[in-house]
Amino acid sequence: MRMAQYPDTKRHVWLLEALGQGVWNPIYDETFPCGSTYTVPPRVYLLLYVDDIILTGNSEVLILEVKQALQAEFDMKDLGALHYFLGLEIKYLPTGLFCLNTNHLLAAKRILRYVKGSMNHGILFRRGSSLSANSSFHVDLQAYCDADWAGDPNDRKSTTGFVILLNNTPISWCSKKQTAVSRSSTEAEYRSMADTSSEIQWLLHLLTELHIELTQVPTLHCDNISALALAANPVHHSKLKHIEADVHFTREKVKAGTIRLQFVSSKEQLADIFTKGLCSPQHNYLCDSLMMLPYPQAEEGCYGEASRPSVDSYKTNCVGAKSVT
């Protein structure tokens, strides 16, 4: 048994020794005697993982004795035959055991269904007004940023997501894990704002090289009021000493007037689709808002405000709805 890391391990070993059974500890030996090439005496194998125990062996009588002794010494419950363990589902067949990981299979099938159903989806870039020497061309840059705080269950790092739209059409988007662990949702959102501000600055340089002038300052939308306050108000500087200096890039751009911050409600946050799984109605609404639609719909011209679902009803529609991603 490999139980050296648990405080009550010795009590388990003493208990089995009291039953007159030899104890095998595979700390240095990763193999154990098994097979049908030779006859072995009655044995019981105990697998301990945190507070879960699996008992097996070649003697039903000995297994029952061990269970009774363990229940007499410890507060535990006999769950009967093994059906689930560490994400595995166990099924009993006449020819043996059948193990499968239903959670991973369901997740994989869900992804494949989504991919199959969106193979002909793309982004529609609508035609703008023609340019001439004496005509003015309206160019607007809007950005949306979001963060899924501590979304990774393994290292608790957050996910940054943003999308930047040129005249309501996405031209730049990103979904990536942040490099450092954020201690609050505000900090995670602030890091996301910094990444988005950097991308906006690069796009501004690109538009300048193309001799395209914006009609107004780019707007950065965020649904976190605290992050917006930190980026706009230098009074809160003392609360951000643990954040790297490059994160304050957003504040510098706001102070210089090259970026304008604006609050956006969660249901209108276009970057949500890049950070977390959403219910089907909200997912479809954001896809329509980002002009991501199937080719037949784009060819027929069935897009725009009239074809979108009602944003005011998305909360009602999402009740009981399953996540898309």
Side-chain angles (χ1 to χ4, degrees):
M1 285 169 283
R2 188 168 189 174
M3 303 181 297
Q5 56 181 322
Y6 301 102
D8 292 336
T9 297
K10 293 184 177 180
R11 297 177 61 191
H12 287 80
V13 175
W14 292 339
L15 183 58
L16 294 180
E17 288 179 343
L19 294 174
Q21 305 300 320
V23 177
W24 166 74
N25 191 336
I27 294 181
Y28 303 104
D29 186 4
E30 297 297 334
T31 63
F32 61 91
C34 62
S36 57
T37 58
Y38 55 89
T39 303
V40 296
R43 283 179 175 161
V44 172
Y45 297 98
L46 185 149
L47 173 63
L48 173 65
Y49 182 81
V50 188
D51 57 352
D52 294 327
I53 295 177
I54 295 179
L55 277 176
T56 186
N58 58 0
S59 172
E60 294 290 342
V61 176
L62 187 57
I63 291 177
L64 180 60
E65 291 180 0
V66 173
K67 288 198 297 185
Q68 292 175 347
L70 290 173
Q71 289 174 343
E73 181 71 16
F74 304 100
D75 183 15
M76 58 178 54
K77 182 180 181 180
D78 186 1
L79 301 178
L82 180 65
H83 293 286
Y84 295 94
F85 187 73
L86 297 181
L88 293 176
E89 181 179 359
I90 314 298
K91 295 183 179 294
Y92 296 89
L93 304 175
T95 55
L97 297 177
F98 185 76
C99 301
L100 70 158
N101 193 325
T102 56
N103 293 334
H104 289 175
L105 288 177
L106 290 176
K109 290 179 179 178
R110 189 180 221 171
I111 294 174
L112 291 176
R113 283 197 300 267
Y114 177 77
V115 172
K116 181 180 179 181
S118 59
M119 291 181 63
N120 64 343
H121 280 57
I123 299 176
L124 175 64
F125 291 85
R126 290 175 290 184
R127 185 189 303 271
S129 59
S130 59
L131 289 174
S132 65
N134 299 323
S135 64
S136 61
F137 183 57
H138 177 78
V139 180
D140 183 27
L141 204 63
Q142 302 285 329
Y144 295 80
C145 68
D146 189 37
D148 182 23
W149 179 48
D152 192 322
N154 297 318
D155 55 17
R156 289 304 174 187
K157 290 183 179 179
S158 306
T159 301
T160 288
F162 68 77
V163 59
I164 303 175
L165 298 90
L166 181 66
N167 288 357
N168 297 324
T169 300
I171 60 172
S172 178
W173 55 87
C174 174
S175 178
K176 66 178 181 179
K177 183 190 293 187
Q178 296 182 1
T179 57
V181 178
S182 298
R183 298 194 295 180
S184 66
S185 59
T186 300
E187 181 179 338
E189 295 277 359
Y190 200 57
R191 295 181 188 275
S192 178
M193 292 175 63
D195 292 337
T196 311
S197 300
S198 177
E199 184 70 8
I200 293 175
Q201 188 65 28
W202 183 86
L203 289 174
L204 289 176
H205 289 308
L206 178 61
L207 292 174
T208 301
E209 292 180 358
L210 297 176
H211 302 284
I212 298 177
E213 296 183 2
L214 297 180
T215 54
Q216 60 182 2
V217 176
T219 303
L220 177 56
H221 299 80
C222 179
D223 58 3
N224 189 290
I225 298 178
S226 299
L228 291 172
L230 291 174
N233 190 353
V235 174
H236 301 284
H237 174 73
S238 60
K239 301 179 181 179
L240 298 175
K241 291 182 178 180
H242 60 286
I243 304 180
E244 295 87 344
D246 59 343
V247 177
H248 298 274
F249 180 78
T250 303
R251 177 179 294 172
E252 294 180 359
K253 296 304 175 184
V254 172
K255 185 178 180 180
T258 56
I259 294 177
R260 184 171 65 93
L261 301 179
Q262 183 172 327
F263 174 78
V264 64
S265 62
S266 297
K267 59 185 178 181
E268 293 284 0
Q269 175 56 275
L270 302 184
D272 256 2
I273 200 171
F274 298 99
T275 59
K276 59 181 72 70
L278 304 171
C279 64
S280 296
Q282 178 66 1
H283 178 86
N284 295 333
Y285 173 78
L286 294 182
C287 286
D288 290 341
S289 300
L290 294 171
M291 301 306 295
M292 191 176 76
L293 53 143
Y295 176 74
Q297 182 179 343
E299 190 177 27
E300 296 174 1
C302 298
Y303 56 84
E305 296 293 338
S307 63
R308 295 182 189 176
S310 174
V311 65
D312 295 329
S313 63
Y314 94 98
K315 286 186 177 180
T316 304
N317 296 333
C318 283
V319 175
K322 293 183 178 179
S323 173
V324 174
T325 56

